[in-house]
Amino acid sequence: QVQLVESGGGVVQPGKSLRLSCVVSGFTFSTYDMHWVRQAPGKGPEWVAVTSYDGRSKYYADSVKGRFTISRDNSKNTLYLQMNSLRTEDTGVYYCAREVEDYVWGFMDVWGQGTTVNVSS
Amino acid sequence: EIVMTQSPATLSVSPGERATLSCRASQSVNSNLAWYQQKPGQAPRLLIYDASTRATGIPARFSGSGSGTEFTLTITSLQSEDFAVYYCQYYNSWPPWTFGQGTKVEI
């Protein structure tokens, strides 16, 4: 079955870095655009970043632009999020999500279970 | 930037009753609207896309309607497993993938 499994979260001090990973299975990873979406405690989801199926196009929310980098390794069925210069407001659960096929900037039809990032001194 | 506003923030409903959730966009999103369900400790789950199309495996008691700026998610005959938070999200125009703040459906 389709699965997305995130890892790499943890407790980190402000200003430090963290890299999240999302390993997928059950579908042809290399043909799907993929997203990172985060959710602060008690808040709604917030879109963070997207990469095209081939990694050539990437877009970011203004709140993370210049600090976060999304990437993918299609040979390893893995999506990454490199997070630098972390701030306390980056705290939350980070989900990887698959974008539906055949849409331009479409909705997310499959989500991972999330990994928790806590930025705290 | 398009802002999505959901109402009410909390909806108290008894099992077996009908729940009606609203989502308003600050400008037209045509029918490019999705609804997600989220239970505590879980990821959001896609319920509805294109404003009114049920995702795979979603029961028929969930229905979506609307277009432009006004949208509704209706849950007929609420089951115990339906008590959760529901989010609307628009897509297909930049900046995309903006979520509403959510409606909590509680007993």
Side-chain angles (χ1 to χ4, degrees):
Chain A
Q1 73 278 24
V2 174
Q3 262 197 313
L4 290 72
V5 180
E6 302 94 334
S7 62
V11 180
V12 62
Q13 293 179 328
K16 299 296 188 181
S17 299
L18 209 56
R19 188 174 86 153
L20 308 182
S21 299
C22 171
V23 177
V24 315
S25 58
F27 65 97
T28 306
F29 178 63
S30 61
T31 65
Y32 285 85
D33 295 353
M34 296 293 296
H35 297 255
W36 286 100
V37 178
R38 68 184 180 185
Q39 189 168 28
K43 302 294 186 181
E46 178 193 15
W47 172 74
V48 172
V50 62
T51 176
S52 60
Y53 65 96
D54 58 1
R56 297 177 69 176
S57 296
K58 302 173 185 180
Y59 299 92
Y60 299 91
D62 287 344
S63 57
V64 307
K65 199 175 298 181
R67 300 186 300 122
F68 289 12
T69 302
I70 189 171
S71 62
R72 64 192 298 160
D73 185 336
N74 285 345
S75 68
K76 296 182 178 179
N77 283 356
T78 303
L79 178 72
Y80 301 101
L81 185 68
Q82 177 67 42
M83 304 186 294
N84 298 332
S85 303
L86 281 160
R87 304 169 180 169
T88 55
E89 55 264 36
D90 295 320
T91 293
V93 178
Y94 283 70
Y95 299 98
C96 64
R98 185 181 81 174
E99 184 176 313
V100 64
E101 269 192 318
D102 300 327
Y103 278 70
V104 176
W105 291 334
F107 51 92
M108 294 89 165
D109 64 346
V110 182
W111 297 61
Q113 87 291 347
T115 186
T116 300
V117 173
N118 187 350
V119 184
S120 172
S121 54
Chain B
E1 179 181 336
I2 297 177
V3 177
M4 309 302 290
T5 303
Q6 292 184 242
S7 62
T10 303
L11 187 61
S12 297
V13 188
S14 298
E17 291 187 338
R18 178 191 195 98
T20 302
L21 290 66
S22 295
C23 175
R24 174 176 293 179
S26 58
Q27 62 191 74
S28 177
V29 298
N30 298 310
S31 295
N32 299 312
L33 187 102
W35 289 94
Y36 298 86
Q37 176 193 67
Q38 187 177 34
K39 297 179 181 179
Q42 296 185 17
R45 177 176 75 139
L46 178 67
L47 295 177
I48 301 284
Y49 62 93
D50 292 349
S52 61
T53 303
R54 275 190 303 277
T56 302
I58 301 303
R61 63 181 182 273
F62 291 91
S63 64
S65 64
S67 66
T69 62
E70 300 285 343
F71 300 88
T72 300
L73 174 69
T74 302
I75 313 170
T76 57
S77 189
L78 269 156
Q79 307 295 302
S80 57
E81 62 265 30
D82 300 336
F83 292 95
V85 181
Y86 293 83
Y87 294 98
C88 63
Q89 177 209 34
Y90 91 89
Y91 52 89
N92 196 234
S93 65
W94 188 262
W97 308 299
T98 298
F99 294 84
Q101 80 279 19
T103 291
K104 181 180 181 181
V105 177
E106 64 175 23
I107 301 175

